[in-house]
Amino acid sequence: MNGLINYVSCGALWLGLLVKAPDLLRHRRDPYLRAICAVLGSAGLCFFLGAPPTVGAVNRFGGVPNLAAPVTYVAITGYCAASQVLIVHWRGGPRVRRTARRWMLAYAAVVLGIAVTFALGDAPVERRTDLDTYYATTPYIAEMIVLYLLAHLITVTVTAVSSLRWARRVRGGLRTGLVLLGTGSLCGAGYSVAKLVAVGGRWSGRDWSALGTTVSPAAAGLGALLTVVGVLVPLVAPRVGEWRRARRTYARLVPLERALDDLLTRRTLRLPRPRFASPITRLMWRQTSIHNALSHLDAYFDRDLYDRTREGVLATTGDPERSEAAAWAAVITAAVRQEADPGRPAPPPGTDGGLLGRVPGPAVLARIADALAGTGPVPAAPAVPSGTTTAGTA
């Protein structure tokens, strides 16, 4: 009687609505976003209104026994309308608006039917959890119950079929979200079916009210959870994928940062390590530290060594990207050794190696790290005249 399942389900749905709200504020005219938010908001409202404590509060406030029943059924019908409009926008086509209006008019007729049948019926005894079976044989109230259950069953069935059918044609996070949404809709169908079976049992003289008071809420709660996850997965999946790629690149840059570690520490070129940061922020920190070191080493870069190494590797492998990474690995290794040699005079101020104009980007940094790690071996550079610095490989 405490309505815990209802309130938890409501909270999950409204949390999903809260996540989508910023997108809706930025794109207020997007009918697809409006439909998604309407589905999440109305579904949460259904659970909130269906909780026994809320039912009692609505009945007391309205002064009419069981007033909460038609109010909740109207909310469920509104959820059905929002779901169908969402499906219409998913399918697309030249008659989206017309089809959406037709569904809304159909569910408006259902709302009118609920109001009329409740007004014509007689339900004097308050029932907070088993109204469906208790009044299953009461004239007009029974019609009201069957009307909202059939409307809900049709909606979740169409949503499940459409979601699972569309999931076969897409991949990635969208497919996962559609499968979860379709599965959640099937659970929602379990809610309606359990209620209808309990009502049918009452018509035949059997007491199957437990289906409506235990099985049905559990199916609805599970369906709400899957629906929320299904709506959020396509939103979250790209970000998770971006974080995964950032973590891989962050780890991949370790050999390059290790080669520059002494310089970064000695010259205090490394930025403070960010704490509790996202993988993207940590990757930016490592890339920035590496670029600081490369900027400091520019005066030590040997452009001739870069060109010779690049041409040699290109002639050997025919791979421009690999040859560029090998050339950078060679000149960085040589520059680090020169800069750390106390017996070697520092380059005059304003001197540069002529390579800063082509500072390697993130993708090139990763390939340089591979070359330094030995996963992209650098062939020996061609022989050079005496007095010209050559570089080894890490």
Side-chain angles (χ1 to χ4, degrees):
M1 293 292 288
N2 59 11
L4 179 62
I5 292 179
N6 291 70
Y7 291 134
V8 170
S9 302
C10 173
L13 288 160
W14 283 352
L15 178 62
L17 176 62
L18 184 64
V19 172
K20 294 296 293 183
D23 291 336
L24 181 64
L25 291 176
R26 288 191 296 267
H27 308 284
R28 298 180 182 180
R29 296 185 178 181
D30 188 336
Y32 177 70
L33 275 176
R34 290 204 303 263
I36 287 180
C37 292
V39 168
L40 293 174
S42 58
L45 182 62
C46 294
F47 281 103
F48 178 77
L49 292 174
T54 307
V55 170
V58 171
N59 292 338
R60 287 194 303 272
F61 181 79
V64 177
N66 298 307
L67 176 64
V71 172
T72 303
Y73 299 163
V74 167
I76 291 175
T77 305
Y79 159 76
C80 294
S83 298
Q84 291 294 0
V85 170
L86 177 61
I87 293 297
V88 169
H89 285 293
W90 273 356
R91 290 174 175 172
R95 299 181 178 180
V96 170
R97 293 185 178 180
R98 181 183 300 179
T99 305
R101 281 197 300 267
R102 287 178 178 176
W103 276 113
M104 293 176 67
L105 289 173
Y107 283 103
V110 174
V111 169
L112 180 60
I114 290 172
V116 170
T117 50
F118 181 77
L120 294 176
D122 184 22
V125 180
E126 183 185 62
R127 309 299 299 188
R128 297 188 180 185
T129 59
D130 63 346
L131 183 141
D132 299 312
T133 51
Y134 187 86
Y135 287 108
T137 57
T138 302
Y140 296 110
I141 301 298
E143 283 78 1
M144 177 188 70
I145 294 168
V146 172
L147 181 61
Y148 98 86
L149 286 175
L150 288 179
H152 181 263
L153 181 59
I154 291 171
T155 297
V156 292
T157 301
V158 172
T159 302
V161 171
S162 300
S163 300
L164 297 176
R165 183 179 296 169
W166 188 17
R168 287 189 245 170
R169 302 197 296 267
V170 295
R171 293 291 182 271
L174 179 57
R175 181 177 188 176
T176 302
L178 288 170
V179 170
L180 289 171
L181 184 58
T183 306
S185 298
L186 289 176
C187 292
Y191 166 86
S192 299
V193 170
K195 290 273 191 182
L196 286 170
V197 170
V199 170
R202 183 77 170 85
W203 290 344
S204 61
R206 297 177 176 85
D207 183 11
W208 292 343
S209 58
L211 289 174
T213 57
T214 57
V215 176
S216 185
L222 179 59
L225 177 62
L226 292 174
T227 298
V228 171
V229 176
V231 169
L232 295 182
V233 161
L235 175 68
V236 175
R239 188 172 304 171
V240 172
E242 188 177 1
W243 285 358
R244 187 183 298 114
R245 289 188 294 273
R247 281 195 297 268
R248 286 199 297 262
T249 305
Y250 179 83
R252 191 177 171 188
L253 290 175
V254 167
L256 178 54
E257 186 185 25
R258 186 183 297 125
L260 300 169
D261 184 67
D262 177 67
L263 171 64
L264 288 167
T265 303
R266 218 170 1 92
R267 301 294 183 180
T268 320
L269 298 174
R270 182 184 279 114
L271 298 175
R273 184 185 294 271
R275 295 184 178 182
F276 310 109
S278 70
I280 296 174
T281 301
R282 291 199 297 270
L283 175 60
M284 292 178 62
W285 166 79
R286 177 161 284 176
Q287 290 173 338
T288 301
S289 298
I290 291 172
H291 277 128
N292 288 345
L294 296 183
S295 297
H296 180 80
L297 289 174
D298 185 63
Y300 296 89
F301 286 156
D302 186 340
R303 185 183 181 91
D304 291 337
L305 176 60
Y306 178 92
D307 292 336
R308 288 193 307 273
T309 305
R310 183 177 182 278
E311 291 171 2
V313 177
L314 184 61
T316 303
T317 65
D319 187 340
E321 292 183 350
R322 183 178 174 184
S323 63
E324 181 186 19
W328 272 109
V331 297
I332 288 172
T333 302
V336 167
R337 290 174 179 171
Q338 293 175 38
E339 195 276 341
D341 185 358
R344 188 178 186 88
T351 303
D352 63 68
L355 291 178
L356 270 185
R358 59 173 87 172
V359 172
V364 179
L365 289 180
R367 290 193 290 270
I368 296 171
D370 292 342
L372 290 170
T375 56
V378 182
V384 297
S386 175
T388 305
T389 303
T390 59
T393 59

